[in-house]
Every structure is written in structure tokens, then in C-alpha cells.
Amino acid sequence: GQNQRYDDAGANRIYGTIPTRFDERDRPQANGSLSYFKDGWGGSHSFKVGGEFQHEQQKYSTTAFGPNNTVLYLNNNVPTQVDVYLVPNATRAVGRTKSVYLTDSWRTSERLTLNLGVRFDQYTNYVPDQVGPQGYQIPHVSGPKFKIFAARIGGVFSLTKDQRTLV
């Protein structure tokens, strides 16, 4: 059966039946890259271009919340708050990642290799139009959009001709 839900912060205890919830998540993604090798141009080059796309989605629904759809909050057995829930309810949230990059591993000599590159990432998230409890219309909400550009530079130098000591 279902018992009333109590949350007592002072006693650090939770009592009663947890809500009946469903949390579905999926995160399909696609990754790809192409490489091209070229000698000359001041040494040998290993170019690589690639990208990634990810679409993350969470669907969350609550079908029942205890015997009377409430959570009682206490502090050392003294009532402080009551949350009343309208069920059933469901929500959906979406996050997307798009990325592209270009790198070059450039071997300028037997002793020096430079690793150069650039990358661009874009992160977006939103909650689409939804219908809440009792038919309430909830409009689309867009989260912040992050655009990040980054450069990459690195190198490896061999201190000895046998290439056993690298910096």
C-alpha cells in the first residue's frame, strides 16, 4: 500500500512511499573523422578533420504521489511545509552538442613534432511546448546557448638522436 510521505530535516529521516516516477533518458550521438597525410610543406603532416553531434533527451513523468499527492515537511517532528502535487504529470528536456575540429601533427624534423589544431563546440538546451496537469499549456523555454572556440598547440622535442629522451 501507499503511506503518507514525510521528510523530517531535523531528524534527518524520510518516511513513507516514494512517488511512482518514470525517468527515461536517451543520448544518441554520431562521431566521424577523416585523415590526410602529406609529405613536403616543411616536413610531414597528418591532418585530421572531424565532428560530433549529440542529442540528449530526458522524459520524466509522475503518475502517483502517495495516497493524497502531498509531501509533508517537518523539522524535529514539527510541521514546516506541505507540497501538493498535481498528478499525473510529464515533462521533456532536450540538450544538443555540435562539435567540429581540425588538427595537424606536423613533423618538422627527426627531433621536433608540433601538434596544432582548432575546435568549435556549441551547446544548446530547451524544454519544448508541453501540456501540464489539468490541460495547462506550458510554452517552449530555451536555455543558454554556449559557443566555445579553442586553439590547440603542443610539441614534442627529442633531446637525443635515438629519440629515447623526449620533452
Side-chain angles (χ1 to χ4, degrees), residues 43-98:
S44 63
H45 294 265
S46 173
F47 295 104
K48 189 175 194 178
V49 62
E52 173 184 354
F53 176 78
Q54 178 178 292
H55 178 87
E56 182 175 8
Q57 177 174 255
Q58 178 186 17
K59 295 177 185 174
Y60 185 85
S61 61
T62 303
T63 57
F65 212 105
N68 58 5
N69 298 325
T70 62
V71 174
L72 307 177
Y73 292 92
L74 312 169
N75 189 358
N76 292 319
N77 212 28
V78 175
T80 58
Q81 177 179 327
V82 175
D83 285 352
V84 178
Y85 292 86
L86 295 173
V87 292
N89 62 47
T91 188
R92 180 174 160 244
V94 177
R96 287 195 180 128
T97 304
K98 300 174 203 167

Side-chain angles (χ1 to χ4, degrees), residues 96-112:
R96 287 195 180 128
T97 304
K98 300 174 203 167
S99 304
V100 294
Y101 64 89
L102 172 66
T103 63
D104 180 16
S105 182
W106 176 19
R107 188 166 184 161
T108 62
S109 68
E110 288 292 319
R111 298 174 86 171
L112 178 63

Side-chain angles (χ1 to χ4, degrees), residues 90-92 94 126-132 136-142:
T91 188
R92 180 174 160 244
V94 177
Y126 65 93
V127 176
D129 292 339
Q130 299 179 45
V131 177
Y136 180 75
Q137 299 292 317
I138 302 168
H140 175 100
V141 177
S142 293

Side-chain angles (χ1 to χ4, degrees), residues 151-162:
R152 172 182 167 169
I153 185 166
V156 178
F157 182 73
S158 175
L159 294 176
T160 59
K161 273 192 157 202
D162 63 6

Side-chain angles (χ1 to χ4, degrees), residues 7-18:
D7 185 335
D8 192 330
N12 199 25
R13 300 223 180 228
I14 298 175
Y15 306 94
T17 305
I18 64 169

